[in-house]
Amino acid sequence: MTIMNAVDSGSAADVRIEIDDIQSGALRPRPVPYQGKYVFLRVDDRRAGRDLVRRLLPLASGGLPDVDLTQDAWVAVAFTYQGLKALGVPQESLDSFPQAFREGMAARAERIGDVGESAPDHWEAPFGTGDVHIALSALSSDAAQLNEELERARVACEETPGVQVIWQQDVHQLPTGRTTLGFRDGISHPNIEGVGLPCSNPQEPPLKAGEFILGYPDETGNLPPMPRPDVLGRNGTYAAVRKVRTDVAAWRRYLRANSAGAEEEALLAAKMIGRWPSGAPLALAPEHDDPELAADPHRVNNFQYRENDDRGYRCPAGAHIRRTNPRDATIIGDARMHRLIRRGTTYGPPLPEGVLEDDGADRGLVGVFLGAHLERQFEFIKAEWVNDGNFIGYPGEKDPVAGHHGGTDSVTIPAKPVRRRLQDLPSFVVTRGGEYCFVPGLRALRWLAELED
């Protein structure tokens, strides 16, 4: 029996979201705390690939998350364009996918700011090589449940000759509960109409489900272009999967060099991020960190910018969280047209507190960015909001944290009576690789498993 949530679409007919056909990994937030693993596979034989999909079907769940997230674990299955091709998907269907997906992230690197040391020439293999065909992710709060799911996935892979595991990455939440840069993450999530997940910002009007899931009207009132046949595209979504290394030592050195003391250093870091380490937003706590506010789920994300901070004196317009989600701030364009679901998971060990020199360990974030429109969501945000400041009136300025800088860029921090200009920013994050993936619905997974030559 299919569970459907009725949605007011603004027309005479209700839109019904087929929740239990949408892969759980596409909609549910990561658990807290969490650990998990990402696995990439190459399909050398199309029949073997379809057999693996058949074996993975029992692992891929749909529907809303378990009420008790500590007892929940799930596996999500996604495919690159080359992966769908390797499975033998008919060319007519392959041609119905959007150009960005067909080309892949590496081919569009300059468009999204992956240049210099972040360019595909420097990516970790097998990213960008065309060998990544299937991407699996497994996440859980419970180590035993995670291991059980991973063992089932391992057995499925090992019992399918003709499919090779070519990359694995363990992810986890650090003991501090924060990112490698020292800030709480995963606070803000889109308010999606009809899905039934908790709203992280009660001031955000619900977004149409078609912004995130194929087969439903989006914010324009139209159905997003959908792969053919209908069974393949409906209830699917696109995922931009990225591995980025964070240069924590460079971050700490820059803050130290541009601050007169520990208090000013903490404020400068918050101005660049847009939140304090606890997660308290500058929009609500402009002078100092407020852990009590941060711990209140009803308050920590309950804010907009236009009424109290349109000029950016509290949270700079160029701060990381404000760039990637301007909310109701005055900007060029409509922010609602560019929302996406962001899932960030940490990898690698923390750099010990106070250390200012890199220890050589690989640490950073595996980010998954989900939406129905790769170009106007993920690519637009990366190109126009992260790596260009025109939309906020700062031409040439980039995201102080996520932008590609190379040691020459500047960033403006509004202040009275005189604004501050940060100079000579290094790049604090470096792209280690990325892939565009399609996350099909469960019926589509069955369709892929049953393909015939």
Side-chain angles (χ1 to χ4, degrees):
M1 176 179 178
T2 301
I3 300 172
M4 295 187 178
N5 287 2
V7 179
D8 180 6
S9 66
S11 65
D14 284 343
V15 175
R16 295 186 175 274
I17 311 299
E18 297 173 310
I19 295 293
D20 65 352
D21 190 48
I22 301 169
Q23 285 199 58
S24 296
L27 290 178
R28 65 176 64 183
R30 69 185 186 198
V32 178
Y34 68 86
Q35 51 188 307
K37 184 185 284 285
Y38 289 89
V39 180
F40 288 169
L41 303 106
R42 185 185 69 238
V43 176
D44 296 323
D45 177 88
R46 64 177 58 181
R47 292 184 182 87
R50 298 166 190 168
D51 186 42
L52 177 63
V53 175
R54 192 176 301 110
R55 293 170 183 267
L56 292 174
L57 267 168
L59 279 68
S61 61
L64 298 177
D66 193 289
V67 174
D68 183 0
L69 292 179
T70 64
Q71 300 301 312
D72 203 12
W74 67 90
V75 173
V77 185
F79 304 86
T80 63
Y81 173 78
Q82 295 299 329
L84 294 174
K85 193 173 181 179
L87 289 177
V89 171
Q91 191 62 46
E92 181 182 2
S93 293
L94 294 172
D95 292 343
S96 67
F97 281 89
Q99 182 177 350
F101 175 72
R102 298 197 310 268
E103 291 182 356
M105 191 181 294
R108 302 170 73 84
E110 286 196 27
R111 178 190 302 256
I112 60 176
D114 283 338
V115 296
E117 58 187 337
S118 289
D121 287 347
H122 304 296
W123 284 4
E124 175 182 319
F127 286 103
T129 63
D131 285 344
V132 179
H133 294 161
I134 301 176
L136 306 180
S137 65
L139 291 172
S140 180
S141 286
D142 181 78
Q145 291 219 11
L146 175 65
N147 289 334
E148 181 179 330
E149 295 297 310
L150 288 173
E151 178 63 15
R152 294 170 67 194
R154 184 190 65 78
V155 169
C157 293
E158 288 188 353
E159 291 183 352
T160 312
V163 177
Q164 301 294 323
V165 174
I166 58 174
W167 182 83
Q168 301 181 64
Q169 179 69 62
D170 291 316
V171 294
H172 54 264
Q173 186 175 56
L174 293 173
T176 60
R178 299 175 181 178
T179 68
T180 53
L181 293 182
F183 286 75
R184 182 181 163 200
D185 196 17
I187 295 171
S188 181
H189 309 290
N191 184 5
I192 307 173
E193 188 176 73
V195 169
L197 289 173
C199 174
S200 68
N201 180 6
Q203 296 189 50
E204 178 184 59
L207 288 134
K208 296 295 184 183
E211 289 295 311
F212 309 99
I213 303 297
L214 298 172
Y216 307 96
D218 61 18
E219 285 292 298
T220 69
N222 300 309
L223 292 173
M226 194 169 71
R228 297 187 299 271
D230 183 83
V231 67
L232 173 61
R234 188 171 181 81
N235 295 320
T237 189
Y238 296 101
V241 181
R242 291 170 65 77
K243 179 178 179 179
V244 296
R245 182 182 185 274
T246 51
D247 192 339
V248 181
W251 167 257
R252 292 176 181 175
R253 289 196 303 270
Y254 190 83
L255 295 174
R256 183 72 55 88
N258 288 275
S259 304
E263 187 174 334
E264 185 179 336
E265 191 174 323
L267 179 59
L268 177 59
K271 290 285 187 180
M272 294 169 74
I273 295 285
R275 292 186 186 271
W276 296 94
S278 71
L282 285 174
L284 301 179
E287 302 297 333
H288 55 78
D289 203 349
D290 189 341
E292 183 178 342
L293 166 64
D296 187 340
H298 301 293
R299 299 172 59 208
V300 66
N301 201 47
N302 188 359
F303 67 92
Q304 301 283 55
Y305 291 115
R306 184 173 297 177
E307 182 176 351
N308 297 318
D309 193 31
D310 205 35
R311 301 290 295 275
Y313 291 122
R314 292 184 172 210
C315 178
H320 174 63
I321 71 163
R322 188 160 173 171
R323 275 179 173 267
T324 54
N325 180 15
R327 303 185 185 225
D328 69 333
T330 300
I331 64 169
I332 298 173
D334 182 358
R336 289 175 62 82
M337 299 295 291
H338 310 291
R339 293 284 273 135
L340 47 70
I341 299 171
R342 176 186 175 277
R343 302 284 182 248
T345 51
T346 302
Y347 76 87
L351 185 66
E353 282 296 324
V355 173
L356 298 179
E357 298 299 327
D358 188 70
D359 61 358
D362 189 18
R363 60 176 58 87
L365 186 82
V366 176
V368 179
F369 305 87
L370 297 140
H373 304 270
L374 277 172
E375 290 189 61
R376 84 160 155 82
Q377 291 171 311
F378 174 76
E379 290 194 342
F380 181 94
I381 290 173
K382 285 288 294 177
E384 303 295 331
W385 289 358
V386 171
N387 285 301
D388 193 342
N390 282 314
F391 81 107
I392 52 173
Y394 295 130
E397 292 194 9
K398 302 174 183 176
D399 187 311
V401 182
H404 173 75
H405 298 293
T408 59
D409 289 346
S410 61
V411 166
T412 300
I413 298 180
K416 295 179 180 179
V418 181
R419 67 184 182 181
R420 182 178 183 185
R421 297 267 292 183
L422 299 176
Q423 303 287 350
D424 304 326
L425 269 78
S427 294
F428 301 115
V429 301
V430 176
T431 305
R432 299 294 303 277
E435 297 286 347
Y436 286 152
C437 296
F438 176 61
V439 186
L442 298 184
R443 286 196 297 269
L445 280 177
R446 287 190 286 273
W447 183 83
L448 290 168
E450 293 167 1
L451 283 170
E452 297 180 357
D453 291 331

